[in-house]
Amino acid sequence: MTSTSQMAQPAAGSQPAPLGRVVFITASAAMGGFLFGYDSSVINGAVEAVRGRFDIGSALLAQVIAAALIGSAIGAAIAGRIADRIGRIRVMQIAAVLFTVSAVGSALPFALWDLAMWRVLGGVAIGMASVIGPAYIAEVSPPAYRGRLASFQQGAIVLGIAVSQLVNWGILNLADGDQRGKLAGLEAWQWMLGIMVIPAIVYFLLSFVIPESPRFLISAGRQAKAREVLARVEGDHEKLDARLAEIEEAMHTEHKSSFRDLLGGRFGFLPIVWIGIFLSLFQQLVGINVVFYYSSTLWQSVGINPESSFFYSFTTSIVNILGTVIAMLFVDKIGRKPLALIGSIGMAVSLALVAWAFSAKETVKGEVHLPDAQGMVALIGAHTFTLFFALSWGVVVWVLLGEIFPSKIRAAALGVAASAQWIANWAITASFPSLSEWNLSATYVIYTIFALLSIPFLLKWVPEPKGKALEEMG
């Protein structure tokens, strides 16, 4: 999709934008982010039940859990082109349908391959939502509010994660702590996966009451409709025709980057592209998605009962929201690199404490548990790890990826960096069950090492875009 960085500012003397209406439009579009977060983490509550239902080992279980990430990569790759052809709203509607079908199919699988297929389909919807939400919000937001409104997407993602964990915990309690306990003819885990139908339908319905992006309307030759939408989101003023002309001119002069533009460095890609790739890799290789995909299983593996493990998954999600809010408040005040460095140091310490705590795991009378002191350290460490990630790398990486690339290669470079992120996400998600069976403490030592390596990477290679125009970067 086309960039919005060159959209002109409102003309002087224009009427203030109807903010309440714009907030509603933005929040409606951000429902895709909510479903992104919800679908990504809801599987956390079903991991052990799926293992028992289909009688599978850790390696195969990991592939089923990680299957959604394959779909996510596909969805992210195709969303932009589809949106440029049929419109942003239509892509939202396609994603909503895919979320709905995936939720029903995942809740009613008849075989393991069947469940994996529905997971992939849901992943395609996640990938589409990860692209279309931020693009649409940027294109309909008045320039004066664009930064704050753009944060709705990330806020919706972390809220979706938290709500999925709260729903899972509630269903588990209704099933008396048994993930395979029967509720109205279905097992508890099936309800966990199926309830996503509700927000998916809400997203679908909301897509019919919000306007199409003015940039797409202009590209489709529908200037009158584009003017109408601009009047709705920016206020009806005498310079709307000039605004339309400015947007149209910007679209004609934008450079559409290609993969070839990224080549030319000593190691294939340009150095700035490698920086973007490694930012994406480090964001995932610290193991953050283990928290969102496997935390309930993780806590049960060290002797914590299912109800408590699900509750801790929910509290971790609340900490994730808190950290995201902190990042939004401070990323423009103290800068991207300082915030990321704080996060890296905090994550490294927290992960090291968790690794130490898990090294004390023992089996007594056939039951696995942690000594009280180590159990408390593990819980605190897991929560502080999530907090430091959320207030730094969880937000900062996306901000940096939108800023560090020169305009000429920004779109293509972002695509490569995002692909690296999905690949790293898949690698961590697919490997964790087997690694944790081998040695849970050593697994967290590996994540600690990546957190430590991110510190010299930040200090030596990552630029600080704070206070610079996008044209100065690269």
Side-chain angles (χ1 to χ4, degrees):
M1 279 181 291
T2 51
S3 168
T4 61
S5 61
Q6 297 181 30
M7 285 184 69
Q9 299 292 313
S14 65
Q15 296 298 313
L19 186 57
R21 185 183 302 159
V22 176
V23 167
F24 171 77
I25 291 170
T26 303
S28 298
M31 272 297 296
F34 178 90
L35 284 159
F36 176 169
Y38 194 103
D39 193 35
S40 294
S41 63
V42 71
I43 192 67
N44 189 4
V47 173
E48 290 307 307
V50 169
R51 187 199 301 268
R53 169 74 174 268
F54 298 104
D55 191 24
I56 56 176
S58 295
L60 187 54
L61 175 68
Q63 298 308 314
V64 175
I65 304 304
L69 300 174
I70 299 172
S72 297
I74 296 170
I78 64 176
R81 291 185 180 276
I82 295 176
D84 280 341
R85 293 194 176 195
I86 66 175
R88 282 57 164 156
I89 298 297
R90 288 287 177 264
V91 173
M92 291 183 196
Q93 292 166 352
I94 292 170
V97 170
L98 292 178
F99 275 124
T100 303
V101 173
S102 171
V104 174
S106 297
L108 303 171
F110 52 82
L112 189 64
W113 68 265
D114 173 42
L115 175 60
M117 180 186 72
W118 298 122
R119 291 279 298 154
V120 171
L121 196 66
V124 174
I126 291 173
M128 286 184 160
S130 72
V131 170
I132 198 62
Y136 175 85
I137 290 170
E139 292 179 355
V140 300
S141 298
Y145 306 121
R146 186 172 297 139
R148 281 168 285 178
L149 293 173
S151 70
F152 275 38
Q153 176 79 358
Q154 181 64 21
I157 292 171
V158 297
L159 182 61
I161 292 171
V163 170
S164 73
Q165 300 311 303
L166 180 60
V167 169
N168 285 354
W169 180 55
I171 291 174
L172 187 73
N173 278 278
L174 289 174
D176 298 323
D178 184 1
Q179 293 178 38
R180 299 196 60 192
K182 290 289 186 178
L183 293 171
L186 296 177
E187 295 182 2
W189 69 274
Q190 294 177 279
W191 283 107
M192 293 175 188
L193 299 183
I195 278 181
M196 192 179 68
V197 165
I198 297 172
I201 291 174
V202 171
Y203 183 41
F204 182 74
L205 294 176
L206 286 173
S207 70
F208 287 95
V209 298
I210 59 177
E212 181 56 87
S213 157
R215 286 175 71 86
F216 171 75
L217 292 171
I218 290 173
S219 72
R222 299 167 61 187
Q223 275 77 4
K225 184 65 177 177
R227 190 185 193 284
E228 178 186 325
V229 173
L230 278 175
R232 288 178 63 184
V233 299
E234 294 190 11
D236 195 0
H237 55 82
E238 70 279 3
K239 302 247 177 133
L240 279 179
D241 290 331
R243 286 280 290 116
L244 285 169
E246 288 165 349
I247 295 172
E248 192 166 5
E249 176 64 22
M251 291 174 64
H252 285 313
T253 58
E254 285 172 349
H255 173 83
K256 292 187 177 180
S257 54
S258 66
F259 185 80
R260 184 178 301 173
D261 294 324
L262 309 182
L263 304 177
R266 183 179 176 185
F267 299 102
F269 289 126
L270 296 169
I272 195 66
V273 178
W274 280 116
I275 290 172
I277 289 171
F278 275 97
L279 279 169
S280 290
L281 292 178
F282 278 121
Q283 188 196 51
Q284 296 300 316
L285 294 177
V286 294
I288 187 60
N289 278 312
V290 168
V291 173
F292 300 132
Y293 297 156
Y294 295 113
S295 60
S296 61
T297 297
L298 174 65
W299 295 125
Q300 290 173 58
S301 75
V302 292
I304 293 176
N305 65 59
E307 293 98 325
S308 295
S309 71
F310 274 59
F311 179 71
Y312 295 144
S313 295
F314 170 62
T315 58
T316 303
S317 298
I318 297 301
V319 169
N320 187 33
I321 293 175
L322 176 62
T324 301
V325 172
I326 293 172
M328 290 175 179
L329 291 173
F330 288 100
V331 69
D332 284 324
K333 291 183 179 180
I334 68 174
R336 287 64 162 145
K337 283 181 67 172
L339 204 57
L341 284 167
I342 291 169
S344 292
I345 294 168
M347 287 190 299
V349 172
S350 299
L351 288 166
L353 288 172
V354 173
W356 171 79
F358 285 156
S359 69
K361 184 174 76 168
E362 57 187 7
T363 303
V364 178
K365 296 181 180 179
E367 293 189 1
V368 176
H369 77 99
L370 285 178
D372 290 343
Q374 282 84 351
M376 183 59 66
V377 168
L379 281 172
I380 294 172
H383 283 76
T384 56
F385 164 60
T386 304
L387 177 66
F388 278 110
F389 176 86
L391 66 80
S392 60
W393 285 76
V395 170
V396 167
V397 167
W398 289 110
V399 174
L400 284 170
L401 291 179
E403 294 176 328
I404 63 173
F405 300 121
S407 298
K408 182 180 178 182
I409 65 168
R410 185 169 295 128
L414 269 167
V416 170
S419 297
Q421 196 168 117
W422 286 118
I423 292 169
N425 191 341
W426 174 85
I428 291 296
T429 304
S431 64
F432 177 75
S434 297
L435 283 173
S436 62
E437 281 193 354
W438 162 66
N439 190 315
L440 184 58
S441 179
T443 302
Y444 271 81
V445 169
I446 294 171
Y447 301 152
T448 303
I449 291 170
F450 282 117
L452 290 170
L453 288 174
S454 71
I455 296 172
F457 168 70
L458 282 166
L459 292 171
K460 184 171 177 61
W461 284 292
V462 177
E464 175 55 76
K466 180 191 173 189
K468 296 181 180 179
L470 290 180
E471 291 72 24
E472 296 178 61
M473 299 308 298

